[in-house]
Amino acid sequence: MSAERDAANRMAIDHYIGLLAGMNVQAPFGQFMIDHGSYHEAAPLPARLKSLMPTRCYSNAQSAVVRAVSAGRKPLTYAEGYACSGKLAYPIQHAWLVDDEGRVVDQTWSNPEEATYFGVLFTTEYVLETAEKYRRRYNSLLDDRRDYWALLKDPAIAERAVIPPGNLVTEGRPALVMGRTV
């Protein structure tokens, strides 16, 4: 993706999340994204992986974590937030995985290297706990109506569920949070 397109996507995401934070009903969601989210490095889907069901991003990403743990493998990190694909000029809610290098592994979208991703990283334990709690009926962890948005309301849940921005990124690359490095 061109640097100009990525910059425009980042501006759209920052603007949208800022609008959410200023809206009465959406303020907790927007503020949670500002407090806990970061940009993730877009990358092509690794050749060893196949694309999965379009429009099933939550299921695709969460079930990959569950399958990896069940098979005794180290899972990738689940992330959820907003993304702009190469085809979309506006951010949409989306879920993906992030590897130990901070690169996106998105099995839902074609050409993920042409997208821009801003989201919250979740602990494997929280993903597994939620999968078990809801009998693997995967949904958004951030916009979870099933528990009346407890994650957004209870800092104790967020503390054990969320990986702070910058804690996953390796090789000295800082995380970007709403346009600033951390």
PDB file of all heavy atoms in Angstrom, residues 15-53:
ATOM      1  N   HIS A  15      -9.880   9.692  13.261  1.00  0.00           N
ATOM      2  CA  HIS A  15     -11.046  10.579  13.279  1.00  0.00           C
ATOM      3  C   HIS A  15     -12.289   9.832  13.760  1.00  0.00           C
ATOM      4  O   HIS A  15     -13.028  10.317  14.623  1.00  0.00           O
ATOM      5  CB  HIS A  15     -11.273  11.164  11.885  1.00  0.00           C
ATOM      6  CG  HIS A  15     -12.444  12.082  11.801  1.00  0.00           C
ATOM      7  ND1 HIS A  15     -12.438  13.351  12.362  1.00  0.00           N
ATOM      8  CD2 HIS A  15     -13.660  11.921  11.233  1.00  0.00           C
ATOM      9  CE1 HIS A  15     -13.615  13.921  12.151  1.00  0.00           C
ATOM     10  NE2 HIS A  15     -14.365  13.084  11.463  1.00  0.00           N
ATOM     11  N   TYR A  16     -12.504   8.635  13.238  1.00  0.00           N
ATOM     12  CA  TYR A  16     -13.689   7.869  13.600  1.00  0.00           C
ATOM     13  C   TYR A  16     -13.685   7.500  15.081  1.00  0.00           C
ATOM     14  O   TYR A  16     -14.692   7.659  15.776  1.00  0.00           O
ATOM     15  CB  TYR A  16     -13.783   6.609  12.729  1.00  0.00           C
ATOM     16  CG  TYR A  16     -15.068   5.865  12.927  1.00  0.00           C
ATOM     17  CD1 TYR A  16     -16.253   6.343  12.375  1.00  0.00           C
ATOM     18  CD2 TYR A  16     -15.113   4.705  13.677  1.00  0.00           C
ATOM     19  CE1 TYR A  16     -17.451   5.672  12.565  1.00  0.00           C
ATOM     20  CE2 TYR A  16     -16.305   4.023  13.868  1.00  0.00           C
ATOM     21  CZ  TYR A  16     -17.468   4.516  13.311  1.00  0.00           C
ATOM     22  OH  TYR A  16     -18.653   3.852  13.514  1.00  0.00           O
ATOM     23  N   ILE A  17     -12.561   7.022  15.574  1.00  0.00           N
ATOM     24  CA  ILE A  17     -12.483   6.642  16.986  1.00  0.00           C
ATOM     25  C   ILE A  17     -12.632   7.879  17.874  1.00  0.00           C
ATOM     26  O   ILE A  17     -13.286   7.827  18.914  1.00  0.00           O
ATOM     27  CB  ILE A  17     -11.179   5.878  17.280  1.00  0.00           C
ATOM     28  CG1 ILE A  17     -11.220   4.514  16.584  1.00  0.00           C
ATOM     29  CG2 ILE A  17     -10.967   5.702  18.784  1.00  0.00           C
ATOM     30  CD1 ILE A  17      -9.920   3.748  16.617  1.00  0.00           C
ATOM     31  N   GLY A  18     -12.069   8.996  17.443  1.00  0.00           N
ATOM     32  CA  GLY A  18     -12.252  10.241  18.182  1.00  0.00           C
ATOM     33  C   GLY A  18     -13.712  10.664  18.243  1.00  0.00           C
ATOM     34  O   GLY A  18     -14.203  11.125  19.276  1.00  0.00           O
ATOM     35  N   LEU A  19     -14.429  10.478  17.117  1.00  0.00           N
ATOM     36  CA  LEU A  19     -15.862  10.777  17.108  1.00  0.00           C
ATOM     37  C   LEU A  19     -16.609   9.873  18.080  1.00  0.00           C
ATOM     38  O   LEU A  19     -17.479  10.330  18.827  1.00  0.00           O
ATOM     39  CB  LEU A  19     -16.444  10.611  15.705  1.00  0.00           C
ATOM     40  CG  LEU A  19     -16.099  11.687  14.692  1.00  0.00           C
ATOM     41  CD1 LEU A  19     -16.617  11.291  13.313  1.00  0.00           C
ATOM     42  CD2 LEU A  19     -16.675  13.026  15.118  1.00  0.00           C
ATOM     43  N   LEU A  20     -16.281   8.578  18.074  1.00  0.00           N
ATOM     44  CA  LEU A  20     -16.932   7.648  19.007  1.00  0.00           C
ATOM     45  C   LEU A  20     -16.720   8.087  20.447  1.00  0.00           C
ATOM     46  O   LEU A  20     -17.647   8.058  21.255  1.00  0.00           O
ATOM     47  CB  LEU A  20     -16.392   6.224  18.830  1.00  0.00           C
ATOM     48  CG  LEU A  20     -16.778   5.474  17.575  1.00  0.00           C
ATOM     49  CD1 LEU A  20     -16.082   4.117  17.554  1.00  0.00           C
ATOM     50  CD2 LEU A  20     -18.282   5.293  17.489  1.00  0.00           C
ATOM     51  N   ALA A  21     -15.493   8.478  20.764  1.00  0.00           N
ATOM     52  CA  ALA A  21     -15.179   8.878  22.135  1.00  0.00           C
ATOM     53  C   ALA A  21     -15.971  10.114  22.559  1.00  0.00           C
ATOM     54  O   ALA A  21     -16.227  10.313  23.754  1.00  0.00           O
ATOM     55  CB  ALA A  21     -13.683   9.141  22.285  1.00  0.00           C
ATOM     56  N   GLY A  22     -16.380  10.923  21.600  1.00  0.00           N
ATOM     57  CA  GLY A  22     -17.141  12.124  21.911  1.00  0.00           C
ATOM     58  C   GLY A  22     -18.645  11.946  21.895  1.00  0.00           C
ATOM     59  O   GLY A  22     -19.390  12.853  22.260  1.00  0.00           O
ATOM     60  N   MET A  23     -19.110  10.776  21.489  1.00  0.00           N
ATOM     61  CA  MET A  23     -20.542  10.523  21.429  1.00  0.00           C
ATOM     62  C   MET A  23     -21.031   9.975  22.757  1.00  0.00           C
ATOM     63  O   MET A  23     -20.349   9.173  23.393  1.00  0.00           O
ATOM     64  CB  MET A  23     -20.868   9.513  20.315  1.00  0.00           C
ATOM     65  CG  MET A  23     -20.550  10.024  18.929  1.00  0.00           C
ATOM     66  SD  MET A  23     -20.724   8.734  17.676  1.00  0.00           S
ATOM     67  CE  MET A  23     -22.491   8.523  17.663  1.00  0.00           C
ATOM     68  N   ASN A  24     -22.187  10.382  23.160  1.00  0.00           N
ATOM     69  CA  ASN A  24     -22.741   9.972  24.442  1.00  0.00           C
ATOM     70  C   ASN A  24     -22.782   8.459  24.613  1.00  0.00           C
ATOM     71  O   ASN A  24     -22.191   7.909  25.527  1.00  0.00           O
ATOM     72  CB  ASN A  24     -24.135  10.570  24.596  1.00  0.00           C
ATOM     73  CG  ASN A  24     -24.412  11.000  26.006  1.00  0.00           C
ATOM     74  OD1 ASN A  24     -23.513  11.054  26.822  1.00  0.00           O
ATOM     75  ND2 ASN A  24     -25.659  11.300  26.281  1.00  0.00           N
ATOM     76  N   VAL A  25     -23.453   7.772  23.718  1.00  0.00           N
ATOM     77  CA  VAL A  25     -23.646   6.329  23.848  1.00  0.00           C
ATOM     78  C   VAL A  25     -22.359   5.561  23.542  1.00  0.00           C
ATOM     79  O   VAL A  25     -22.058   4.567  24.183  1.00  0.00           O
ATOM     80  CB  VAL A  25     -24.785   5.856  22.905  1.00  0.00           C
ATOM     81  CG1 VAL A  25     -24.903   4.351  22.890  1.00  0.00           C
ATOM     82  CG2 VAL A  25     -26.101   6.491  23.326  1.00  0.00           C
ATOM     83  N   GLN A  26     -21.588   6.011  22.570  1.00  0.00           N
ATOM     84  CA  GLN A  26     -20.385   5.300  22.140  1.00  0.00           C
ATOM     85  C   GLN A  26     -19.120   5.730  22.875  1.00  0.00           C
ATOM     86  O   GLN A  26     -18.051   5.175  22.631  1.00  0.00           O
ATOM     87  CB  GLN A  26     -20.182   5.503  20.637  1.00  0.00           C
ATOM     88  CG  GLN A  26     -21.228   4.857  19.787  1.00  0.00           C
ATOM     89  CD  GLN A  26     -21.148   3.339  19.847  1.00  0.00           C
ATOM     90  OE1 GLN A  26     -20.103   2.752  20.043  1.00  0.00           O
ATOM     91  NE2 GLN A  26     -22.290   2.690  19.697  1.00  0.00           N
ATOM     92  N   ALA A  27     -19.205   6.694  23.773  1.00  0.00           N
ATOM     93  CA  ALA A  27     -18.014   7.218  24.437  1.00  0.00           C
ATOM     94  C   ALA A  27     -17.175   6.139  25.120  1.00  0.00           C
ATOM     95  O   ALA A  27     -15.948   6.131  24.965  1.00  0.00           O
ATOM     96  CB  ALA A  27     -18.399   8.319  25.424  1.00  0.00           C
ATOM     97  N   PRO A  28     -17.765   5.204  25.864  1.00  0.00           N
ATOM     98  CA  PRO A  28     -16.922   4.174  26.497  1.00  0.00           C
ATOM     99  C   PRO A  28     -16.161   3.332  25.477  1.00  0.00           C
ATOM    100  O   PRO A  28     -15.005   2.989  25.688  1.00  0.00           O
ATOM    101  CB  PRO A  28     -17.917   3.315  27.280  1.00  0.00           C
ATOM    102  CG  PRO A  28     -19.100   4.193  27.503  1.00  0.00           C
ATOM    103  CD  PRO A  28     -19.166   5.080  26.285  1.00  0.00           C
ATOM    104  N   PHE A  29     -16.794   3.013  24.356  1.00  0.00           N
ATOM    105  CA  PHE A  29     -16.151   2.219  23.315  1.00  0.00           C
ATOM    106  C   PHE A  29     -14.985   2.993  22.697  1.00  0.00           C
ATOM    107  O   PHE A  29     -13.872   2.468  22.575  1.00  0.00           O
ATOM    108  CB  PHE A  29     -17.183   1.849  22.250  1.00  0.00           C
ATOM    109  CG  PHE A  29     -16.682   0.857  21.250  1.00  0.00           C
ATOM    110  CD1 PHE A  29     -16.739  -0.493  21.522  1.00  0.00           C
ATOM    111  CD2 PHE A  29     -16.164   1.269  20.044  1.00  0.00           C
ATOM    112  CE1 PHE A  29     -16.273  -1.425  20.607  1.00  0.00           C
ATOM    113  CE2 PHE A  29     -15.706   0.353  19.120  1.00  0.00           C
ATOM    114  CZ  PHE A  29     -15.761  -0.999  19.407  1.00  0.00           C
ATOM    115  N   GLY A  30     -15.229   4.226  22.305  1.00  0.00           N
ATOM    116  CA  GLY A  30     -14.175   5.052  21.706  1.00  0.00           C
ATOM    117  C   GLY A  30     -13.024   5.290  22.655  1.00  0.00           C
ATOM    118  O   GLY A  30     -11.856   5.189  22.271  1.00  0.00           O
ATOM    119  N   GLN A  31     -13.325   5.585  23.914  1.00  0.00           N
ATOM    120  CA  GLN A  31     -12.267   5.831  24.890  1.00  0.00           C
ATOM    121  C   GLN A  31     -11.461   4.562  25.156  1.00  0.00           C
ATOM    122  O   GLN A  31     -10.246   4.611  25.314  1.00  0.00           O
ATOM    123  CB  GLN A  31     -12.836   6.386  26.193  1.00  0.00           C
ATOM    124  CG  GLN A  31     -11.768   6.928  27.126  1.00  0.00           C
ATOM    125  CD  GLN A  31     -10.961   8.064  26.491  1.00  0.00           C
ATOM    126  OE1 GLN A  31     -11.513   9.035  25.982  1.00  0.00           O
ATOM    127  NE2 GLN A  31      -9.650   7.935  26.502  1.00  0.00           N
ATOM    128  N   PHE A  32     -12.120   3.417  25.187  1.00  0.00           N
ATOM    129  CA  PHE A  32     -11.424   2.141  25.379  1.00  0.00           C
ATOM    130  C   PHE A  32     -10.428   1.920  24.237  1.00  0.00           C
ATOM    131  O   PHE A  32      -9.291   1.497  24.456  1.00  0.00           O
ATOM    132  CB  PHE A  32     -12.434   0.991  25.442  1.00  0.00           C
ATOM    133  CG  PHE A  32     -11.846  -0.300  25.931  1.00  0.00           C
ATOM    134  CD1 PHE A  32     -11.827  -0.591  27.286  1.00  0.00           C
ATOM    135  CD2 PHE A  32     -11.323  -1.224  25.052  1.00  0.00           C
ATOM    136  CE1 PHE A  32     -11.286  -1.775  27.752  1.00  0.00           C
ATOM    137  CE2 PHE A  32     -10.785  -2.409  25.504  1.00  0.00           C
ATOM    138  CZ  PHE A  32     -10.759  -2.685  26.860  1.00  0.00           C
ATOM    139  N   MET A  33     -10.853   2.215  23.009  1.00  0.00           N
ATOM    140  CA  MET A  33      -9.969   2.079  21.854  1.00  0.00           C
ATOM    141  C   MET A  33      -8.772   3.016  21.974  1.00  0.00           C
ATOM    142  O   MET A  33      -7.636   2.621  21.701  1.00  0.00           O
ATOM    143  CB  MET A  33     -10.730   2.369  20.553  1.00  0.00           C
ATOM    144  CG  MET A  33     -11.792   1.347  20.203  1.00  0.00           C
ATOM    145  SD  MET A  33     -11.143  -0.304  19.920  1.00  0.00           S
ATOM    146  CE  MET A  33     -10.029  -0.005  18.573  1.00  0.00           C
ATOM    147  N   ILE A  34      -9.001   4.243  22.373  1.00  0.00           N
ATOM    148  CA  ILE A  34      -7.905   5.205  22.536  1.00  0.00           C
ATOM    149  C   ILE A  34      -6.938   4.727  23.620  1.00  0.00           C
ATOM    150  O   ILE A  34      -5.722   4.782  23.459  1.00  0.00           O
ATOM    151  CB  ILE A  34      -8.454   6.611  22.859  1.00  0.00           C
ATOM    152  CG1 ILE A  34      -9.167   7.187  21.632  1.00  0.00           C
ATOM    153  CG2 ILE A  34      -7.334   7.537  23.336  1.00  0.00           C
ATOM    154  CD1 ILE A  34      -9.974   8.439  21.910  1.00  0.00           C
ATOM    155  N   ASP A  35      -7.479   4.245  24.728  1.00  0.00           N
ATOM    156  CA  ASP A  35      -6.646   3.830  25.859  1.00  0.00           C
ATOM    157  C   ASP A  35      -5.866   2.543  25.604  1.00  0.00           C
ATOM    158  O   ASP A  35      -4.763   2.382  26.125  1.00  0.00           O
ATOM    159  CB  ASP A  35      -7.509   3.638  27.114  1.00  0.00           C
ATOM    160  CG  ASP A  35      -8.091   4.931  27.637  1.00  0.00           C
ATOM    161  OD1 ASP A  35      -7.614   6.021  27.245  1.00  0.00           O
ATOM    162  OD2 ASP A  35      -9.050   4.850  28.444  1.00  0.00           O
ATOM    163  N   HIS A  36      -6.441   1.607  24.848  1.00  0.00           N
ATOM    164  CA  HIS A  36      -5.853   0.271  24.747  1.00  0.00           C
ATOM    165  C   HIS A  36      -5.439  -0.140  23.334  1.00  0.00           C
ATOM    166  O   HIS A  36      -4.837  -1.203  23.169  1.00  0.00           O
ATOM    167  CB  HIS A  36      -6.836  -0.775  25.282  1.00  0.00           C
ATOM    168  CG  HIS A  36      -7.222  -0.553  26.702  1.00  0.00           C
ATOM    169  ND1 HIS A  36      -6.375  -0.814  27.759  1.00  0.00           N
ATOM    170  CD2 HIS A  36      -8.352  -0.070  27.253  1.00  0.00           C
ATOM    171  CE1 HIS A  36      -6.980  -0.523  28.896  1.00  0.00           C
ATOM    172  NE2 HIS A  36      -8.180  -0.057  28.607  1.00  0.00           N
ATOM    173  N   GLY A  37      -5.757   0.655  22.328  1.00  0.00           N
ATOM    174  CA  GLY A  37      -5.475   0.259  20.958  1.00  0.00           C
ATOM    175  C   GLY A  37      -4.144   0.754  20.437  1.00  0.00           C
ATOM    176  O   GLY A  37      -3.521   1.653  21.003  1.00  0.00           O
ATOM    177  N   SER A  38      -3.705   0.141  19.350  1.00  0.00           N
ATOM    178  CA  SER A  38      -2.485   0.559  18.657  1.00  0.00           C
ATOM    179  C   SER A  38      -2.582   0.113  17.197  1.00  0.00           C
ATOM    180  O   SER A  38      -3.403  -0.738  16.852  1.00  0.00           O
ATOM    181  CB  SER A  38      -1.238  -0.035  19.313  1.00  0.00           C
ATOM    182  OG  SER A  38      -1.280  -1.444  19.290  1.00  0.00           O
ATOM    183  N   TYR A  39      -1.740   0.704  16.359  1.00  0.00           N
ATOM    184  CA  TYR A  39      -1.681   0.293  14.961  1.00  0.00           C
ATOM    185  C   TYR A  39      -0.860  -0.975  14.848  1.00  0.00           C
ATOM    186  O   TYR A  39       0.116  -1.162  15.576  1.00  0.00           O
ATOM    187  CB  TYR A  39      -1.077   1.399  14.087  1.00  0.00           C
ATOM    188  CG  TYR A  39      -2.090   2.465  13.779  1.00  0.00           C
ATOM    189  CD1 TYR A  39      -2.109   3.643  14.506  1.00  0.00           C
ATOM    190  CD2 TYR A  39      -3.050   2.269  12.793  1.00  0.00           C
ATOM    191  CE1 TYR A  39      -3.066   4.608  14.240  1.00  0.00           C
ATOM    192  CE2 TYR A  39      -3.998   3.230  12.525  1.00  0.00           C
ATOM    193  CZ  TYR A  39      -4.010   4.401  13.248  1.00  0.00           C
ATOM    194  OH  TYR A  39      -4.961   5.341  12.997  1.00  0.00           O
ATOM    195  N   HIS A  40      -1.262  -1.848  13.928  1.00  0.00           N
ATOM    196  CA  HIS A  40      -0.566  -3.104  13.690  1.00  0.00           C
ATOM    197  C   HIS A  40      -0.089  -3.127  12.240  1.00  0.00           C
ATOM    198  O   HIS A  40      -0.795  -2.636  11.346  1.00  0.00           O
ATOM    199  CB  HIS A  40      -1.480  -4.288  13.993  1.00  0.00           C
ATOM    200  CG  HIS A  40      -2.028  -4.230  15.379  1.00  0.00           C
ATOM    201  ND1 HIS A  40      -3.306  -4.609  15.695  1.00  0.00           N
ATOM    202  CD2 HIS A  40      -1.473  -3.811  16.540  1.00  0.00           C
ATOM    203  CE1 HIS A  40      -3.512  -4.429  16.988  1.00  0.00           C
ATOM    204  NE2 HIS A  40      -2.420  -3.939  17.514  1.00  0.00           N
ATOM    205  N   GLU A  41       1.063  -3.699  12.025  1.00  0.00           N
ATOM    206  CA  GLU A  41       1.718  -3.697  10.715  1.00  0.00           C
ATOM    207  C   GLU A  41       1.010  -4.635   9.734  1.00  0.00           C
ATOM    208  O   GLU A  41       0.979  -5.858   9.936  1.00  0.00           O
ATOM    209  CB  GLU A  41       3.171  -4.132  10.887  1.00  0.00           C
ATOM    210  CG  GLU A  41       3.977  -4.121   9.634  1.00  0.00           C
ATOM    211  CD  GLU A  41       5.390  -4.609   9.862  1.00  0.00           C
ATOM    212  OE1 GLU A  41       5.885  -4.539  10.998  1.00  0.00           O
ATOM    213  OE2 GLU A  41       5.983  -5.075   8.885  1.00  0.00           O
ATOM    214  N   ALA A  42       0.466  -4.071   8.672  1.00  0.00           N
ATOM    215  CA  ALA A  42      -0.189  -4.876   7.645  1.00  0.00           C
ATOM    216  C   ALA A  42       0.841  -5.750   6.944  1.00  0.00           C
ATOM    217  O   ALA A  42       1.990  -5.342   6.753  1.00  0.00           O
ATOM    218  CB  ALA A  42      -0.887  -3.967   6.633  1.00  0.00           C
ATOM    219  N   ALA A  43       0.434  -6.965   6.592  1.00  0.00           N
ATOM    220  CA  ALA A  43       1.340  -7.904   5.929  1.00  0.00           C
ATOM    221  C   ALA A  43       0.513  -8.861   5.068  1.00  0.00           C
ATOM    222  O   ALA A  43      -0.651  -9.116   5.365  1.00  0.00           O
ATOM    223  CB  ALA A  43       2.137  -8.688   6.969  1.00  0.00           C
ATOM    224  N   PRO A  44       1.138  -9.415   4.027  1.00  0.00           N
ATOM    225  CA  PRO A  44       0.418 -10.414   3.231  1.00  0.00           C
ATOM    226  C   PRO A  44       0.172 -11.665   4.078  1.00  0.00           C
ATOM    227  O   PRO A  44       0.916 -11.943   5.022  1.00  0.00           O
ATOM    228  CB  PRO A  44       1.359 -10.721   2.068  1.00  0.00           C
ATOM    229  CG  PRO A  44       2.601  -9.955   2.287  1.00  0.00           C
ATOM    230  CD  PRO A  44       2.455  -9.133   3.518  1.00  0.00           C
ATOM    231  N   LEU A  45      -0.848 -12.399   3.751  1.00  0.00           N
ATOM    232  CA  LEU A  45      -1.138 -13.643   4.448  1.00  0.00           C
ATOM    233  C   LEU A  45      -0.003 -14.627   4.172  1.00  0.00           C
ATOM    234  O   LEU A  45       0.359 -14.841   3.009  1.00  0.00           O
ATOM    235  CB  LEU A  45      -2.475 -14.219   3.970  1.00  0.00           C
ATOM    236  CG  LEU A  45      -2.978 -15.462   4.683  1.00  0.00           C
ATOM    237  CD1 LEU A  45      -3.267 -15.156   6.161  1.00  0.00           C
ATOM    238  CD2 LEU A  45      -4.237 -15.987   4.007  1.00  0.00           C
ATOM    239  N   PRO A  46       0.593 -15.215   5.226  1.00  0.00           N
ATOM    240  CA  PRO A  46       1.670 -16.187   4.995  1.00  0.00           C
ATOM    241  C   PRO A  46       1.190 -17.328   4.091  1.00  0.00           C
ATOM    242  O   PRO A  46       0.042 -17.776   4.180  1.00  0.00           O
ATOM    243  CB  PRO A  46       1.992 -16.705   6.402  1.00  0.00           C
ATOM    244  CG  PRO A  46       1.551 -15.598   7.323  1.00  0.00           C
ATOM    245  CD  PRO A  46       0.345 -14.994   6.654  1.00  0.00           C
ATOM    246  N   ALA A  47       2.075 -17.804   3.229  1.00  0.00           N
ATOM    247  CA  ALA A  47       1.722 -18.824   2.236  1.00  0.00           C
ATOM    248  C   ALA A  47       1.193 -20.105   2.878  1.00  0.00           C
ATOM    249  O   ALA A  47       0.387 -20.806   2.271  1.00  0.00           O
ATOM    250  CB  ALA A  47       2.938 -19.135   1.358  1.00  0.00           C
ATOM    251  N   ARG A  48       1.618 -20.412   4.099  1.00  0.00           N
ATOM    252  CA  ARG A  48       1.190 -21.653   4.746  1.00  0.00           C
ATOM    253  C   ARG A  48      -0.262 -21.597   5.226  1.00  0.00           C
ATOM    254  O   ARG A  48      -0.839 -22.615   5.584  1.00  0.00           O
ATOM    255  CB  ARG A  48       2.111 -22.002   5.911  1.00  0.00           C
ATOM    256  CG  ARG A  48       1.967 -21.099   7.111  1.00  0.00           C
ATOM    257  CD  ARG A  48       2.964 -21.438   8.217  1.00  0.00           C
ATOM    258  NE  ARG A  48       2.659 -20.814   9.458  1.00  0.00           N
ATOM    259  CZ  ARG A  48       2.723 -19.526   9.734  1.00  0.00           C
ATOM    260  NH1 ARG A  48       3.077 -18.674   8.799  1.00  0.00           N
ATOM    261  NH2 ARG A  48       2.438 -19.060  10.928  1.00  0.00           N
ATOM    262  N   LEU A  49      -0.847 -20.413   5.229  1.00  0.00           N
ATOM    263  CA  LEU A  49      -2.223 -20.247   5.695  1.00  0.00           C
ATOM    264  C   LEU A  49      -3.156 -19.992   4.516  1.00  0.00           C
ATOM    265  O   LEU A  49      -2.759 -19.421   3.510  1.00  0.00           O
ATOM    266  CB  LEU A  49      -2.318 -19.085   6.681  1.00  0.00           C
ATOM    267  CG  LEU A  49      -1.516 -19.238   7.967  1.00  0.00           C
ATOM    268  CD1 LEU A  49      -1.614 -17.967   8.793  1.00  0.00           C
ATOM    269  CD2 LEU A  49      -1.974 -20.434   8.767  1.00  0.00           C
ATOM    270  N   LYS A  50      -4.403 -20.379   4.692  1.00  0.00           N
ATOM    271  CA  LYS A  50      -5.386 -20.139   3.641  1.00  0.00           C
ATOM    272  C   LYS A  50      -6.393 -19.084   4.113  1.00  0.00           C
ATOM    273  O   LYS A  50      -6.590 -18.888   5.314  1.00  0.00           O
ATOM    274  CB  LYS A  50      -6.111 -21.427   3.270  1.00  0.00           C
ATOM    275  CG  LYS A  50      -6.915 -22.024   4.398  1.00  0.00           C
ATOM    276  CD  LYS A  50      -7.617 -23.289   3.953  1.00  0.00           C
ATOM    277  CE  LYS A  50      -8.464 -23.795   5.120  1.00  0.00           C
ATOM    278  NZ  LYS A  50      -9.321 -24.884   4.768  1.00  0.00           N
ATOM    279  N   SER A  51      -7.016 -18.443   3.149  1.00  0.00           N
ATOM    280  CA  SER A  51      -8.083 -17.492   3.467  1.00  0.00           C
ATOM    281  C   SER A  51      -9.286 -18.270   3.986  1.00  0.00           C
ATOM    282  O   SER A  51      -9.549 -19.385   3.543  1.00  0.00           O
ATOM    283  CB  SER A  51      -8.482 -16.691   2.234  1.00  0.00           C
ATOM    284  OG  SER A  51      -7.426 -15.851   1.851  1.00  0.00           O
ATOM    285  N   LEU A  52      -9.994 -17.662   4.915  1.00  0.00           N
ATOM    286  CA  LEU A  52     -11.178 -18.284   5.492  1.00  0.00           C
ATOM    287  C   LEU A  52     -12.423 -17.521   5.076  1.00  0.00           C
ATOM    288  O   LEU A  52     -12.375 -16.649   4.226  1.00  0.00           O
ATOM    289  CB  LEU A  52     -11.032 -18.354   7.009  1.00  0.00           C
ATOM    290  CG  LEU A  52      -9.848 -19.178   7.520  1.00  0.00           C
ATOM    291  CD1 LEU A  52      -9.730 -19.081   9.031  1.00  0.00           C
ATOM    292  CD2 LEU A  52      -9.960 -20.635   7.093  1.00  0.00           C
ATOM    293  N   MET A  53     -13.525 -17.811   5.715  1.00  0.00           N
ATOM    294  CA  MET A  53     -14.833 -17.280   5.355  1.00  0.00           C
ATOM    295  C   MET A  53     -14.877 -15.746   5.453  1.00  0.00           C
ATOM    296  O   MET A  53     -14.655 -15.194   6.525  1.00  0.00           O
ATOM    297  CB  MET A  53     -15.885 -17.867   6.276  1.00  0.00           C
ATOM    298  CG  MET A  53     -17.271 -17.391   6.009  1.00  0.00           C
ATOM    299  SD  MET A  53     -18.008 -18.228   4.647  1.00  0.00           S
ATOM    300  CE  MET A  53     -18.805 -19.542   5.487  1.00  0.00           C
TER     301      MET A  53
END
